[in-house]
């Protein structure tokens, strides 16, 4: 069973204030309010008391509050952007959190279980959907991250259970391409810059590898 722990600030949050100033400085002046909520998605079957214990271990009780499996979004906020890593991307905070949970409860996560982190931005103001979509694209690196945009109403109608879990799935085997490395240095340089040749003569890549690296592979 999947659980989500939402960690938000009980006191004025410097991160939120700095990010709001940054967004307004780069042209998103319609954003009047911003709040950051850190999210821990736990893909392992725990009882409610154990999840509550985990939530306490992942937050500072003096300055932070936690919600489990649902988070209240008040009327000051009209949009939500949740950002997180794509499957397979290293998530250092999640790795540390998993170690904390294993040490706390004396358990081990199996290969199919895991902890994943993400971040929700609660945005207030007279923002258009076009502005929010543009902000979401600006906010992430699409090579390693994803962004999910919802209105406050969409989020509440979804009952907070429309969760994205970036789990790696290897059930579908992809075809393997064989690349001829017995080529001249000039062709190796082209391979590194332009990428692997396709049947139709086009290239996919680039590999961004220099000649020394390609010779080592060869």
């Amino acid at each position: 069973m999947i659980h989500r722990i939402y960690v938000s600030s009980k006191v004025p949050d410097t991160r939120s204030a700095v990010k709001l100033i940054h967004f307004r400085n780069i042209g998103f002046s319609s954003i009047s309010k911003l709040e950051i909520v850190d999210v821990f998605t736990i893909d392992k079957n725990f009882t409610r008391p154990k999840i509550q214990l985990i939530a306490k271990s992942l937050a500072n009780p003096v300055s932070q509050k936690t919600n489990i499996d649902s988070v209240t979004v008040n009327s000051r906020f009209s949009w939500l952007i949740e950002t997180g890593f794509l499957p397979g991307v290293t998530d250092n905070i999640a790795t540390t959190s998993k170690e904390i949970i294993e040490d706390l409860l004396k358990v081990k996560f199996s290969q199919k279980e895991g902890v994943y982190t993400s971040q929700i931005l609660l945005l207030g103001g007279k923002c258009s959907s076009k502005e929010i979509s543009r902000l979401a694209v600006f906010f992430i690196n699409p090579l390693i991250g994803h962004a999910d945009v919802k209105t406050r109403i969409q989020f509440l109608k979804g009952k907070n259970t429309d969760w994205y879990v970036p789990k790696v799935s290897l059930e579908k085997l992809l075809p393997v391409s064989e690349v001829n490395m017995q080529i001249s240095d000039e062709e190796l340089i082209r391979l590194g810059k332009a990428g692997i040749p396709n049947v139709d003569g086009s290239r996919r890549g680039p590999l961004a590898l220099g000649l020394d690296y390609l010779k080592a592979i060869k």
Side-chain angles (χ1 to χ4, degrees):
M1 181 177 181
I2 296 174
H3 294 280
R4 296 248 288 186
I5 296 172
Y6 299 88
V7 181
S8 53
S9 181
K10 295 192 292 189
V11 298
D13 184 9
T14 302
R15 293 185 308 164
S16 299
V18 170
K19 197 171 289 294
L20 176 60
I21 292 171
H22 175 60
F23 286 168
R24 301 191 77 175
N25 285 342
I26 60 176
F28 297 96
S29 56
S30 57
I31 300 174
S32 58
K33 297 180 180 66
L34 187 151
E35 182 179 325
I36 295 174
V37 179
D38 295 309
V39 185
F40 298 86
T41 300
I42 301 173
D43 186 10
K44 185 174 175 63
N45 192 19
F46 286 115
T47 62
R48 187 75 179 183
K50 287 185 177 180
I51 284 293
Q52 291 172 337
L53 189 60
I54 291 169
K56 288 181 180 179
S57 72
L58 296 177
N60 182 337
V62 175
S63 60
Q64 295 177 313
K65 60 183 178 181
T66 60
N67 291 318
I68 297 172
D69 292 339
S70 66
V71 60
T72 302
V73 181
N74 62 47
S75 58
R76 293 185 303 141
F77 301 102
S78 50
W79 291 94
L80 298 92
I81 301 177
E82 181 168 358
T83 62
F85 291 109
L86 293 173
V89 177
T90 301
D91 186 343
N92 291 320
I93 296 177
T95 300
T96 302
S97 302
K98 185 172 74 171
E99 292 172 353
I100 290 171
I101 296 169
E102 289 180 331
D103 186 58
L104 176 70
L105 301 179
K106 309 305 178 189
V107 298
K108 285 292 182 182
F109 282 75
S110 71
Q111 199 169 20
K112 294 183 178 180
E113 299 169 332
V115 177
Y116 311 92
T117 65
S118 56
Q119 195 175 79
I120 290 177
L121 300 183
L122 300 174
L123 303 167
K126 296 181 180 180
C127 314
S128 67
S129 59
K130 187 176 180 180
E131 282 181 301
I132 296 299
S133 297
R134 190 161 58 90
L135 177 61
V137 172
F138 171 83
F139 190 61
I140 64 163
N141 178 349
L143 295 177
I144 64 171
H146 79 98
D148 186 21
V149 178
K150 289 180 181 173
T151 65
R152 174 176 167 272
I153 294 174
Q154 286 173 332
F155 183 78
L156 295 178
K157 281 186 176 180
K159 298 181 180 179
N160 303 347
T161 57
D162 185 14
W163 299 335
Y164 174 79
V165 180
K167 183 184 293 187
V168 175
S169 176
L170 300 177
E171 294 176 359
K172 183 180 179 181
L173 297 179
L174 299 176
V176 177
S177 300
E178 293 188 7
V179 180
N180 178 24
M181 300 290 287
Q182 303 306 316
I183 52 181
S184 66
D185 286 358
E186 289 75 14
E187 282 299 311
L188 283 173
I189 292 171
R190 187 183 177 198
L191 181 67
K193 289 183 177 180
I196 297 170
N198 296 314
V199 177
D200 62 2
S202 62
R203 297 261 178 168
R204 62 186 186 274
L207 303 178
L209 294 172
L211 182 59
D212 289 342
Y213 290 99
L214 289 164
K215 283 187 172 181
I217 295 171
K218 180 179 176 180

